[in-house]
Amino acid sequence: MLVKTATCYHTQRGLTLLEVLLASVISSVLILTVSRLIVSEFRVTERLSRQMQLHQQLRTSLALIKRNLLMAGFNAAAPVPVFFRGSQTLTDVRYNTQVGYVYQESATARDDFHHVVYQLAEQPEHSSLRLCEKQHDHRFTFEQAASSGESGPCFSLFDTNWIRVDTFQVRYQPLQSGSGAPINTGWVTVHLGLSLVADSSIHESADFAFSQRHWSL
């Protein structure tokens, strides 16, 4: 007996063009959303990193300035403080944007004077904080110590391509003895504000104040 085998053909239905387009749109939206989240997270991380670097630069610089200012007037060669020629204060402040001092840290090298001046330098693009450090066998005036030339040039404390100095203010308040007579010491206040050249919205500022040491014996 012949048996006739019946072959069943199942109907196979493919994706329509509309479904393919819809899936592509949904995938593109998901990919774009994830990409934006990644880029946004990267930008936030990069901004925080720059902010932290600027903060560290500010704190390190202020600590250096304060440590150096504590040396103002120190004279290891004699029991009296040392000043700039023509100056009457250990910490000489000019225009609230310049501060300078001189000290002698060796008792044997009597002609070894260290001159230091910090000053805000106005520039067409932005301001910078200049540092002048000079060592010589005689005392300079403030003007000599604050200008490049004799015994060395001045240089910017920060990379001017990266950091902008927004503010640098110094104030010196002389103190008086119990009898009312002025003494060689005073109250020093320094304020420093920095921002990034590439992004001025990233900025940091801080200040410190301390009583200048009294070196007179």
Side-chain angles (χ1 to χ4, degrees), residues 124-172:
E125 297 85 8
H126 51 265
S127 300
S128 64
L129 182 58
R130 297 180 70 206
L131 170 59
C132 303
E133 290 185 289
K134 300 181 180 182
Q135 184 175 339
H136 208 273
D137 59 359
H138 65 267
R139 290 177 300 130
F140 291 157
T141 64
F142 185 96
E143 290 74 19
Q144 288 175 319
S147 60
S148 297
E150 188 175 5
S151 298
C154 301
F155 59 91
S156 177
L157 195 62
F158 305 103
D159 183 353
T160 55
N161 294 320
W162 185 53
I163 294 179
R164 174 191 293 109
V165 178
D166 299 320
T167 55
F168 178 67
Q169 296 178 338
V170 186
R171 290 183 172 84
Y172 180 77

Side-chain angles (χ1 to χ4, degrees), residues 7 32 64 86 109 117 136 156 160 165 194 210 216:
T7 304
L32 181 60
L64 173 66
V117 174
H136 208 273
S156 177
T160 55
V165 178
L194 306 176
F210 68 98
S216 298

Side-chain angles (χ1 to χ4, degrees), residues 74-79 103-114:
F74 176 71
N75 190 351
Y103 65 93
Q104 189 173 7
E105 61 181 350
S106 174
T108 56
R110 294 181 176 275
D111 295 328
D112 181 21
F113 295 102
H114 297 262

